[in-house]
């Protein structure tokens, strides 16, 4: 969603210039980069190096999500077989990267977990393990995996960007939930557009629509009761097994949780 947003902002900026007289060299080139130090080290290193490289002009827009929401959605997403024996959109006949990934070895090396840490099940890959395991065991294993594989990288990079003033000025952090506050014309688009192309008249971004439709092919169950149960479970897991690691990382970004909005809806 994030990189599609930036492409749309670029095109909108080009179209709004009187006469369309703007050179493409005056537009920022857009690259979709996933913050993942393990599987996409080259991309992660690029983001890290830009933090300390202050001569080249660049802007970075991070679209992050509440960590609890991220882990729960990822758990349900991979539990369904996506990126193992299904495509990211849920179609069969695909062979994803996670199908042959040795997740047990990863948790042992990167997270210091011994094999007794998770119940042994006849599962050839992580997706199958999540399908066979109890929700408590599966969510704990997936949370451990997600923290090491993705979330630590996000946290470390954000810390570096915020600690160096010039890099901080070139970085904008947005939350996934900001694109859902006003489904048609979220303020986050105006904020990103003004950040990339500052102008006296920020109304040039009015009416630019979001392409966020609840995750698209990555969307999972919308059963609120079920998801709220997973939220309660994950907070217990975080406290008992991770010493509040999820809570601490999540607090650095301040992104709202789907649990908050659901509780508010139920209270009304």
């Amino acid at each position: 969603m994030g990189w599609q947003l930036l492409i749309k902002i670029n095109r909108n900026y080009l179209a709004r210039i009187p006469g369309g007289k703007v050179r493409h060299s005056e537009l920022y080139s857009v690259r979709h980069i996933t913050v993942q130090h393990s599987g996409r080290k080259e991309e992660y290193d690029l983001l890290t190096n830009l933090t300390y490289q202050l001569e080249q002009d660049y802007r970075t827009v991070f679209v992050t999500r509440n960590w609890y929401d991220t882990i729960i959605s990822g758990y349900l997403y991979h539990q369904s077989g996506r990126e193992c024996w299904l495509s990211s959109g849920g179609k069969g006949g695909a062979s994803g990267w996670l199908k042959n990934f040795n997740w047990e070895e990863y948790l042992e090396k990167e997270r210091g977990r011994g094999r007794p840490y998770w119940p042994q099940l006849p599962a050839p890959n992580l997706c199958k393990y999540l399908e066979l395991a109890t929700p408590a065991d599966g969510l704990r294993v997936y949370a451990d995996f997600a923290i090491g594989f993705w979330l630590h990288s996000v946290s470390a990079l954000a810390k570096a960007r915020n600690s160096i003033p010039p890099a901080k000025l070139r970085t904008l952090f947005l939350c996934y939930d900001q694109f859902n506050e006003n489904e048609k014309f979220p303020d986050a688009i105006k904020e990103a557009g003004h950040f990339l192309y500052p102008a006296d008249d920020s109304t040039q971004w009015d009416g630019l629509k979001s392409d966020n439709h609840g995750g698209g092919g990555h969307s999972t169950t919308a059963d609120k009761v079920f998801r709220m149960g997973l939220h309660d479970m994950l907070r217990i897991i975080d406290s008992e097994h991770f010493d509040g690691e999820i809570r601490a990382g999540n607090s650095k970004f301040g992104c709202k949780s789907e649990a908050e909005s659901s509780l508010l809806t139920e209270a009304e």
Side-chain angles (χ1 to χ4, degrees):
M1 176 192 61
W3 70 283
Q4 293 174 335
L5 159 70
L6 299 185
I7 290 174
K8 178 168 284 192
I9 287 173
N10 258 9
R11 289 174 178 169
N12 189 74
Y13 178 73
L14 181 63
R16 297 297 178 93
I17 299 298
K21 295 181 179 179
V22 59
R23 294 185 297 274
H24 279 278
S25 60
E26 295 175 356
L27 296 173
Y28 286 106
S29 59
V30 178
R31 290 190 60 179
H32 174 215
I33 298 179
T34 299
V35 181
Q36 178 183 323
H37 78 281
S38 301
R40 301 183 182 182
K41 190 174 186 303
E42 183 177 342
E43 292 183 351
Y44 181 73
D45 287 345
L46 171 63
L47 287 174
T48 303
N49 293 337
L50 281 176
T51 300
Y52 305 99
Q53 192 281 106
L54 306 178
E55 297 176 359
Q56 180 181 349
D57 187 22
Y58 69 91
R59 297 292 184 275
T60 306
V61 178
F62 284 95
V63 180
T64 60
R65 190 179 184 183
N66 179 277
W67 280 27
Y68 293 97
D69 294 8
T70 297
I71 291 171
I72 288 169
S73 288
Y75 163 71
L76 294 171
Y77 172 77
H78 291 299
Q79 184 192 49
S80 71
R82 286 178 170 89
E83 299 189 12
C84 284
W85 58 85
L86 296 178
S87 68
S88 60
K91 296 181 179 180
S95 181
W97 69 276
L98 201 51
K99 182 176 181 179
N100 298 312
F101 184 83
N102 193 331
W103 62 274
E104 294 176 298
E105 181 180 274
Y106 177 82
L107 289 182
E108 288 176 350
K109 290 184 177 180
E110 301 298 328
R111 299 286 288 170
R113 310 303 188 192
R115 287 191 178 274
Y117 176 73
W118 55 82
Q120 298 301 298
L121 297 171
N125 51 58
L126 180 58
C127 298
K128 192 64 177 179
Y129 186 89
L130 299 180
E131 178 187 318
L132 296 176
T134 65
D137 287 333
L139 191 56
R140 174 167 54 86
V141 165
Y142 182 76
D144 215 353
F145 175 74
I147 290 170
F149 206 73
W150 290 294
L151 298 180
H152 269 177
S153 302
V154 175
S155 182
L157 192 58
K159 181 179 180 181
R161 286 295 174 95
N162 285 324
S163 64
I164 301 175
K168 185 175 182 179
L169 291 174
R170 295 174 177 179
T171 306
L172 174 66
F173 288 94
L174 296 174
C175 291
Y176 179 85
D177 59 89
Q178 289 179 265
F179 294 89
N180 291 319
E181 289 179 347
N182 182 335
E183 187 176 347
K184 291 185 177 180
F185 311 117
D187 289 338
I189 290 183
K190 181 182 290 189
E191 187 176 356
H194 189 64
F195 170 73
L196 292 171
Y197 300 106
D200 292 335
D201 182 16
S202 62
T203 59
Q204 63 175 306
W205 310 113
D206 287 347
L208 198 58
K209 296 182 181 180
S210 169
D211 287 325
N212 182 19
H213 301 298
H218 286 72
S219 60
T220 53
T221 178
D223 186 329
K224 289 184 179 180
V225 175
F226 180 64
R227 292 183 79 99
M228 292 310 101
L230 292 178
H231 272 277
D232 292 340
M233 188 181 297
L234 184 56
R235 280 172 168 74
I236 294 173
I237 290 171
D238 184 37
S239 176
E240 294 182 350
H241 296 278
F242 304 140
D243 195 27
E245 195 172 3
I246 300 174
R247 183 184 67 254
N250 184 61
S251 66
K252 297 177 182 179
F253 300 95
C255 295
K256 294 179 182 178
S257 170
E258 62 183 11
E260 298 172 37
S261 59
S262 295
L263 289 174
L264 287 173
T265 301
E266 291 172 5
E268 293 172 355

